[in-house]
Amino acid sequence: MHASAPPLQAHVTERPAPQALLDALAQRFGAQYSCALAVREQHGRDEGSIQAPPPAAVVFAESTRDVQDAVRLAAQHNVPVIPYAAGSSLEGHLLAVQGGISIDVNRMNRVLSVNAEDLTVTVQPGITRKQLNDSIKDTGLFFPIDPGADASIGGMAATRASGTNAVRYGTMRENVLALEVVTASGDAIRTGTRAKKSSAGYDLTRLMVGSEGTLGIMTELTIRLYPLPEAISAAVCSFPSVGDAVRCTIQIIQLGVPIARVELIDANTVRAVNAHSKLSLREEPMLLMEFHGSPASVKEQAETVQDLAAEHGGNAFEWASTPEERTRLWSARHMAYFAGLQTRPGCTAITTDACVPISQLATAVLDSVQEAEASGIPYFMVGHVGDGNFHMGYLIDPASSEERAQAEQLNHQLVARALRLGGTCTGEHGVGIHKMGFLREEAGDGAVDMMRAIKQALDPKNILNPGKIFVL
């Protein structure tokens, strides 16, 4: 029996919300305001393992004006504001580490305009990717960025998310064209246009995308859409080892096969997914792939990949051509995190992600797996390996300080390896709190000092999601 250990805690620097601010918020927002403990606790945690005290209150914004008024009131009292939407982040982005007010934008979930001819749509930040695709399905277009969780579009832009389709369609960085953003002073500014490119001044849109709510609160987003492919086919292929699967992926990408998705799932994850989703996949490392295009091009891509897989020991190709079969496979992949948790009841998952150049993927993955195996801690691994991104989840006893320390050490070793190989400490989770220690090592002192100077210039009172990415 392990001695009781506290949950992984964030360093907290309290900036109390004075009663005058709470009274002003209650008067302005009425039923859109809550200081109930249950509501505050819901808005003070994400899907990660870090814990901190909840915010002092929650404002349920329904318009840009609501966000502006909440920010202006908070700024008058020098109190932090933390944007909140789906709550699916993993690195502590939503935690009120300096106290403050949570601004919930889930009610701002409308599609504002669809410009099908231009392949763009303008939405509010609270709409989720599934809600968006459901609302535009009659246009013959879709939004492809798929981080796994049914995340909000605003949150995906704030963390520069990517996901399973990034190898073909890119990340949020490439797919956000324009924004409306509420600044630290409560002003609403617009960045970018619906045009596909611009040389007009600083690229403020790209500055905001990935800023994790530390430079502004997004209230409208104009994003790219894509035509639904004429033909789609998905397949799973098992391999004798993780190394074989990774080397097959590297060859697929280096040969320029325009595959839409290629996901690595290790044997531990396959077993978990089988149990959770009542599937009967071969319990070996596997690649889950999807091909988009014309019927002829999809057939050609699939045949090329099948030949490459055979060279690396790939076998038992299982094809899914109907929408129902594909949905079943991808739903199982998207539930991998929760399926992994169920393999060790009562556990907590310490999760991490890294991204490396495709030529270094085998070294990064295989060394990380070897370390996890040697530790004895149960783990699972999935990866958007087409762009060199993979995720590890270490399943620990939350009451064991020894296991937690060991998992954090594995996390440290994995990220340090990615940096040595020319990669990044986070491919899509974002920095939040958990990856702050790696940012300076990756970016360098000068770059982090420049980020800090930008933050201080745009948010001199440090009220926009403070304590994330770096500490002022």
Side-chain angles (χ1 to χ4, degrees), residues 116-149:
E117 297 86 353
D118 295 324
L119 302 180
T120 67
V121 63
T122 299
V123 300
Q124 292 181 309
I127 193 169
T128 68
R129 61 177 184 86
K130 289 183 180 178
Q131 289 172 340
L132 172 57
N133 279 322
D134 284 344
S135 69
I136 61 173
K137 59 186 177 183
D138 61 343
T139 66
L141 304 173
F142 80 118
F143 180 66
I145 310 304
D146 177 4

Side-chain angles (χ1 to χ4, degrees), residues 278-293:
K278 305 298 188 292
L279 299 177
S280 55
L281 301 171
R282 290 168 65 105
E283 294 185 350
E284 297 173 344
M286 69 169 48
L287 294 179
L288 176 54
M289 297 166 281
E290 193 165 278
F291 309 93
H292 295 180

Side-chain angles (χ1 to χ4, degrees), residues 354-407:
C355 189
V356 297
I358 193 70
S359 62
Q360 302 299 320
L361 182 61
T363 298
V365 169
L366 295 179
D367 287 357
S368 299
V369 167
Q370 185 177 35
E371 288 173 350
E373 289 283 353
S375 75
I377 290 180
Y379 73 94
F380 62 93
M381 183 187 67
V382 298
H384 315 312
V385 286
D387 51 14
N389 186 204
F390 67 101
H391 306 251
M392 299 286 288
Y394 307 107
L395 304 173
I396 68 165
D397 177 353
S400 170
S401 57
E402 294 88 351
E403 288 190 11
R404 183 177 301 119
Q406 197 170 12

Side-chain angles (χ1 to χ4, degrees), residues 34 53 125 145 147 171 174 201 242 280 305 336 349 355 363 387 407 434 437:
S34 177
I145 310 304
T171 72
E174 292 80 34
V242 167
S280 55
V305 169
C355 189
T363 298
D387 51 14
H434 207 195

